[in-house]
Amino acid sequence: MRLLALAATVAVAALSAACGANGQDAPPPAGAALETRPANGASQRPAFAGQTRAPGVRTETAMAHSVVASGLEHPWGLALLPDGRWLVTERPGRLRIITAEGVTGEPVAGLPAVDARGQGGLLDVAVGPTFGQDRLIYWSYAEPREGGNATSVARGRLSGDGARVENVQVIFRAVPVYDGDKHFGSSLAFDGAGHLFVTLGERSDRPMRPQAQDLGSHMGKVIRINADGSVPRDNPFVGRAGALPEIWSLGHRNVQGAAVAPDGALWTMEHGTRGGDELNRPEGGRNYGWPVIAYGVEYSGGPINEGVTAREGMEQPVYYWDPVIAPGGMTFYDGAMFPGWRGNLLVAGLKEKHIARLVLEGGRVVGEERLMTDLGERVRDVAVGPDGAVWAITDEQNGKLVRLAAS
């Protein structure tokens, strides 16, 4: 049995000129952009002021992180149970329950098999909106199927002792099946009415990219279903010939973060290539452009398709990064510990190994801060605990559950 190491001490990193005492990047001069590296899309210009390179901001409250649990194998999804424990997925196919003190349970039994090649495996997890009555939890995963794999969503009843899930139902299966190992998505987010948003990638490979624009494919889409997998009658493409009725929005590349704002709007985070990570606010029936328009360049350095960043009938991102941070999960901050953050977005950064705090005003990003830069690990998902502390998981072979709190 694999041992899970627990740590209860505050992680203290050696501070450098680039890192402040709170594990934050040192702020730039007032009003200056936080990002100063050259853009990959050097000739590209934002569509409106503030769409990229927001001014740096800084939290003055002292804070520090503590490693609560370690020994997790590439954790992906993080969700808070009503009793204060955490559900944590591991990509090889394990779901664990971890207490706030770091006691890590054995894998929860009863989950279906996953295809864990590449970026696949067990992905996000969410606690159902009626958990108090039915104990239903939901998870997304790369499902092995005849001819390849695709993203699926299942739900099941978490037993009272947390040892297993029962009455498992697959409530959504993305189509078409494809034999690949990239861009499965897939974040889960419930809105206040009980609809479940599911984010999906377009599977990355060049032959699959055009499917992000194809309404007969789930690839590169945001999906909206009811909690039982049925299709809401007011979905934008219901009744349209040749369109899959689960589709909410199209033209996405690889959406791995989703959160519902206090006003009920869905926000998502999307991976770009070399440049072009996007923050979007997907609205029903709208086209977000991939692969026709995009910021950044191909991994090889050349332009993406025609190299254009705007086209009539296609939506612009609210915000984009170039160079990328490789965004994972995200959450809106609503806690008491950092009252100045309320309404801000917290975004997990994989490549740049930090949590990005985005200050929003009027639906735009007006400030950006990099938190927990001293941890030095790929941050995969982020959530807010009952007391307002920020919790995160790191996507490493020795992955960790970390708590960031005022000190």
Side-chain angles (χ1 to χ4, degrees):
M1 181 179 70
R2 206 162 46 89
L3 295 178
L4 297 177
L6 306 180
T9 58
V10 173
V12 179
L15 301 179
S16 68
C19 183
N22 294 340
Q24 305 147 284
D25 275 8
L34 184 63
E35 179 60 73
T36 59
R37 295 172 295 174
N40 292 285
S43 64
Q44 296 171 348
R45 298 292 177 265
F48 52 85
Q51 193 184 20
T52 190
R53 298 184 178 238
V57 296
R58 181 176 177 82
T59 303
E60 295 304 325
T61 303
M63 67 186 86
H65 70 260
S66 57
V67 176
V68 177
S70 60
L72 301 165
E73 187 175 359
H74 295 288
W76 206 100
L78 177 67
L80 181 66
L81 287 165
D83 63 7
R85 296 182 298 168
W86 294 96
L87 291 171
V88 178
T89 63
E90 295 175 281
R91 282 204 301 107
R94 294 181 291 270
L95 172 66
R96 297 184 188 271
I97 297 177
I98 305 178
T99 71
E101 296 72 35
V103 178
T104 304
E106 292 297 316
V108 175
L111 274 71
V114 305
D115 187 338
R117 294 178 294 159
Q119 297 173 4
L122 182 59
L123 304 174
D124 206 8
V125 62
V127 175
T130 55
F131 182 87
Q133 292 76 51
D134 54 29
R135 297 189 61 81
L136 287 177
I137 63 171
Y138 296 71
W139 61 93
S140 60
Y141 61 108
E143 182 183 41
R145 303 188 203 164
E146 184 176 353
N149 51 45
T151 304
S152 295
V153 178
R155 70 176 184 176
R157 180 188 178 276
L158 183 66
S159 62
D161 59 5
R164 61 195 178 280
V165 286
E166 303 164 334
N167 304 321
V168 173
Q169 302 170 287
V170 179
I171 61 169
F172 172 76
R173 285 188 165 98
V175 294
V177 173
Y178 178 67
D179 190 11
D181 65 359
K182 297 179 180 65
H183 290 197
F184 294 92
S186 159
S187 189
L188 304 176
F190 281 98
D191 68 11
H195 302 119
L196 176 59
F197 289 100
V198 184
T199 69
L200 300 170
E202 51 30 313
R203 307 306 307 275
S204 180
D205 298 342
R206 285 183 182 270
M208 293 296 288
R209 285 184 178 184
Q211 293 206 14
Q213 293 291 321
D214 182 357
L215 289 174
S217 167
H218 288 129
M219 304 300 110
K221 310 298 192 303
V222 172
I223 301 303
R224 180 180 182 248
I225 54 177
N226 294 316
D228 63 359
S230 61
V231 177
R233 289 179 293 179
D234 61 346
N235 268 10
F237 298 107
V238 168
R240 178 166 168 174
L244 295 171
E246 299 90 354
I247 294 173
W248 177 254
S249 60
L250 66 151
H252 300 286
R253 185 171 182 265
N254 190 29
V255 187
Q256 291 191 339
V260 174
D263 65 0
L266 175 71
W267 293 67
T268 60
M269 295 300 314
E270 183 169 334
H271 285 263
T273 51
R274 285 179 56 191
D277 287 349
E278 294 184 1
L279 170 65
N280 285 300
R281 186 179 177 275
E283 297 182 47
R286 299 292 181 90
N287 185 340
Y288 290 81
W290 179 260
V292 180
I293 63 172
Y295 291 92
V297 297
E298 291 282 8
Y299 292 114
S300 62
I304 299 168
N305 282 350
E306 298 175 13
V308 298
T309 59
R311 181 160 291 178
E312 186 177 355
M314 294 183 174
E315 305 301 315
Q316 284 289 312
V318 171
Y319 191 68
Y320 72 89
W321 286 268
D322 184 4
V324 300
I325 65 167
M330 62 191 284
T331 191
F332 282 89
Y333 187 82
D334 60 355
M337 188 172 291
F338 301 99
W341 291 4
R342 285 184 178 148
N344 291 181
L345 267 175
L346 301 179
V347 181
L350 290 157
K351 182 178 184 294
E352 294 303 314
K353 300 180 180 180
H354 68 258
I355 296 172
R357 179 173 73 92
L358 301 181
V359 182
L360 302 177
E361 287 183 8
R364 302 294 190 199
V365 175
V366 298
E368 181 174 358
E369 181 178 23
R370 295 170 183 165
L371 303 170
M372 216 165 68
T373 55
D374 52 343
L375 180 63
E377 297 193 13
R378 290 162 50 88
V379 183
R380 165 55 71 182
D381 201 6
V382 60
V384 179
D387 63 353
V390 175
W391 292 71
I393 49 175
T394 65
D395 181 14
E396 305 283 350
Q397 184 64 30
N398 178 21
K400 298 175 177 64
L401 175 64
V402 182
R403 180 178 183 263
L404 177 68
S407 59

